[in-house]
Amino acid sequence: LFFVGILLASCKNDAKTSKVEDQKENTTQENKKILKVTDTFSLDGINFKLLQNGDQAELKIEAKDRVVKGNIKLSPPCYFLKRYGKVQSFAYPNVKVAHTLIFLGDTVSTDVKKYFGFNENDDFSRICGEALQGILIKKDSVIVTERVLDGGFTCADSGSDEKEFWEFAHIRETHKQSRNPKYR
């Protein structure tokens, strides 16, 4: 009887240990997020990588002589706006911006593409999203704008009009407290 008691106690301890190990394994797997590069671009010796880290978008910038400010506010995956296969960029020397880039996020499904006019003749594999955010490259810094334009519809491969770039460069923080949600 004494040996049966020890054997049962031993089994209970093994069961507890097994449960603890299972919990540790699940927690570790949940904490591990898959880091995926969604888009890259190089300009003036600066390397940009848009990353998807689980449900968060990140921007990694490799630049020796620039300070990086700001965070991505869009849902991943994110992509740079391109026209004719090249990342769009505009300079605005009057506000000391060497390059203005825009990336899109909050990507949309086939149903949303149909809502915005895609039909059976369109390429539904195109990457499109409902929100834009800007990157301003200055002499000594790279700034991810606080301002986000959302509520529209843009496809990464067809880019955007220059007016959007101008707005990010010139009006980047003035609408931060605006009542209009398009300029949050």
Side-chain angles (χ1 to χ4, degrees):
L1 206 53
F2 177 73
F3 292 113
V4 173
I6 292 175
L7 184 60
L8 287 175
S10 173
C11 288
K12 285 183 183 177
N13 285 340
D14 286 345
K16 286 181 184 176
T17 303
S18 178
K19 285 181 184 178
V20 170
E21 286 174 5
D22 288 345
Q23 287 175 344
K24 283 182 184 177
E25 186 176 320
N26 289 339
T27 303
T28 304
Q29 288 175 357
E30 288 174 12
N31 290 339
K32 287 183 184 176
K33 294 182 181 177
I34 298 171
L35 192 62
K36 177 182 174 186
V37 176
T38 56
D39 208 351
T40 61
F41 179 63
S42 293
L43 177 70
D44 289 347
I46 305 169
N47 297 317
F48 297 90
K49 285 184 184 177
L50 289 168
L51 306 168
Q52 181 174 347
N53 188 355
D55 60 354
Q56 296 293 313
E58 296 177 6
L59 176 66
K60 183 176 181 181
I61 300 173
E62 296 170 358
K64 295 177 186 172
D65 60 344
R66 313 257 168 123
V67 175
V68 180
K69 302 174 187 173
N71 295 305
I72 293 181
K73 295 181 173 187
L74 309 182
S75 298
C78 294
Y79 300 89
F80 290 108
L81 293 188
K82 298 175 177 102
R83 181 147 300 156
Y84 308 115
K86 291 184 165 187
V87 172
Q88 287 184 283
S89 171
F90 292 93
Y92 301 101
N94 61 322
V95 288
K96 300 178 182 173
V97 175
H99 300 280
T100 305
L101 308 172
I102 296 178
F103 59 92
L104 73 82
D106 299 359
T107 53
V108 297
S109 66
T110 299
D111 290 339
V112 176
K113 290 175 185 175
K114 286 178 182 176
Y115 176 80
F116 279 103
F118 272 54
N119 61 44
E120 64 276 348
N121 298 325
D122 290 314
D123 179 4
F124 282 92
S125 68
R126 291 177 64 198
I127 299 165
C128 305
E130 293 183 306
L132 303 173
Q133 194 169 354
I135 299 173
L136 307 176
I137 303 170
K138 295 188 163 200
K139 182 180 177 182
D140 59 353
S141 62
V142 175
I143 302 166
V144 179
T145 64
E146 284 287 319
R147 186 165 178 250
V148 170
L149 296 177
D150 61 358
F153 180 82
T154 306
C155 293
D157 63 340
S158 58
S160 185
D161 293 333
E162 194 227 340
K163 68 181 181 178
E164 304 288 350
F165 293 83
W166 187 94
E167 285 184 37
F168 277 115
H170 289 83
I171 314 174
R172 62 184 176 272
E173 303 309 322
T174 56
H175 292 289
K176 199 172 176 180
Q177 311 249 342
S178 172
R179 290 186 196 127
N180 186 343
K182 183 176 180 185
Y183 298 106
R184 64 175 159 101

